């Protein structure tokens, strides 16, 4: 397996104490997507949206990577082929475990973005509507998160990697959100083998050649050791 493309979702961070979105009692059971994760919601009530992401950012900064994050960092370091790590997660746990060049397709809680001039800079712990863009001074700063209705980041690069993949692995994601849910299909079309590692079967499970179920902190280290052998 010389080139492996790995896609991680909220399930990989669950055992680090960060809530998933669609599991029972998850974030989308507590908040309406339309209110906190759409450009329209931000236009209606930016204070509410900042409050939501400020809480997520505080939790993300307080959390520690778990055995699954560390195992993927080890794989990236020790595998003789190419490892491409794409995540739907906006936390910093892959980086905290030592992973490099993580492709955050849904943005990053630690990033701020100016919606007037597209400048990006490191987000303070607490963002608010009164903060100014360091480049154009407009008070149009927002979390650098991809909201519903917006185009995820790095798509061209991701599809390029999928076209070259020998193996595509999806870890801890429910398969409900496109375009990420369609990556398995792209990988299959490119002739890659496919594997889902999850707690429960995702919505796209039927498209994977293989699947294993359990907790990420257990199955990811085991799978990584298999690959490294
Ligand atoms: P979901 O909350 O939709 O799914 C979480 C997945 O993690 C489910 O498949 C669970 O079975 C699995 N899971 C839970 N605990 C686990 C554990 N300990 N080990 C392994 N797996 C576990 O999260 P995502 O699929 O990542 O986007 O959600 C995708 C996108 O929807 C997010 O990036 C976010 C959200 O709306 C935006 O906000 C744009």
């Amino acid at each position: 397996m010389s080139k492996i493309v790995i896609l991680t979702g909220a399930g990989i961070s669950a055992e680090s104490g960060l809530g998933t979105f669609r599991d029972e009692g998850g974030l989308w059971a507590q908040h309406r997507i339309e209110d906190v994760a759409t450009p329209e919601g931000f236009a209606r009530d930016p204070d509410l949206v900042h409050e939501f992401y400020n809480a997520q950012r505080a939790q993300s900064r307080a959390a520690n990577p778990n055995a699954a994050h560390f195992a993927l960092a080890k794989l990236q370091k020790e595998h003789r082929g190419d490892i491409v790590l794409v995540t739907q997660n906006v936390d910093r746990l892959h980086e905290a475990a030592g992973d490099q060049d993580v492709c955050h397709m849904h943005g990053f809680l630690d990033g701020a973005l100016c919606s007037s001039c597209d400048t990006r800079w490191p987000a303070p712990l607490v963002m608010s509507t009164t903060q100014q863009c360091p480049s154009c001074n407009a008070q149009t700063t927002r979390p650098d998160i991809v909201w519903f209705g917006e185009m995820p980041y790095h798509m061209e690069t991701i599809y390029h990697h999928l076209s070259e993949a020998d193996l595509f692995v999806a870890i801890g994601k429910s398969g409900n959100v496109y375009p990420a849910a369609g990556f398995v299909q792209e990988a299959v079309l490119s002739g890659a083998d496919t594997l889902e590692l999850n707690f429960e079967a995702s919505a796209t499970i039927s498209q994977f050649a293989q699947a294993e179920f359990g907790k990420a902190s257990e199955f990811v280290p085991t799978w990584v050791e298999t690959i490294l052998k």
Side-chain angles (χ1 to χ4, degrees):
M1 292 297 174
S2 63
K3 179 154 185 162
I4 305 177
V5 178
I6 300 169
L7 172 66
T8 64
I12 197 165
S13 297
E15 291 164 81
S16 293
L18 302 183
T20 61
F21 295 93
R22 295 175 184 78
D23 290 313
E24 209 183 319
L27 279 173
W28 294 156
Q30 302 166 46
H31 305 269
R32 279 165 32 106
I33 289 178
E34 303 86 321
D35 291 341
V36 298
T38 60
E40 294 78 13
F42 187 62
R44 257 193 323 269
D45 192 346
D47 289 318
L48 176 77
V49 176
H50 275 307
E51 196 183 306
F52 175 76
Y53 287 101
N54 287 341
Q56 304 305 313
R57 191 177 301 108
Q59 275 184 26
S60 160
R61 290 194 189 179
N64 293 311
N66 64 55
H69 298 101
F70 285 117
L72 292 185
K74 179 178 177 188
L75 181 67
Q76 197 184 44
K77 211 161 143 196
E78 298 182 12
H79 181 58
R80 266 179 277 154
D82 203 0
I83 300 290
V84 177
L85 184 54
V86 179
T87 188
Q88 292 175 282
N89 298 344
V90 294
D91 64 54
R92 47 155 66 179
L93 295 181
H94 284 304
E95 284 84 355
D99 256 311
Q100 290 175 0
D101 298 327
V102 183
C103 185
H104 282 271
M105 61 179 291
H106 287 170
F108 202 33
L109 283 165
D110 284 332
L113 169 68
C114 174
S115 34
S116 298
C117 72
D118 282 345
T119 294
R120 291 186 162 78
W121 66 99
L125 180 61
V126 177
M127 290 189 71
S128 74
T129 48
T130 56
Q131 285 161 2
Q132 291 182 314
C133 167
S135 175
C136 73
N137 295 326
Q139 286 186 342
T140 50
T141 69
R142 55 168 277 184
D144 192 7
I145 300 285
V146 176
W147 287 324
F148 285 87
E150 297 181 323
M151 182 57 77
Y153 297 148
H154 315 298
M155 293 310 296
E156 211 173 305
T157 309
I158 295 169
Y159 283 122
H160 172 73
H161 286 305
L162 287 169
S163 75
E164 293 183 345
D166 296 301
L167 173 64
F168 171 70
V169 186
I171 302 174
K173 56 174 278 293
S174 64
N176 282 299
V177 177
Y178 283 82
F183 290 173
V184 58
Q185 218 168 6
E186 288 293 320
V188 169
L189 287 174
S190 309
D193 199 1
T194 53
L195 170 65
E196 170 165 318
L197 299 173
N198 215 345
F199 193 68
E200 289 173 339
S202 73
T204 52
I205 187 77
S206 62
Q207 296 172 35
F208 285 83
Q210 297 174 59
E212 282 176 36
F213 301 102
K215 289 182 174 177
S217 66
E218 293 166 8
F219 59 58
V220 177
T222 306
W223 172 71
V224 165
E225 289 312 317
T226 314
I227 295 291
L228 290 178
K229 265 183 208 158

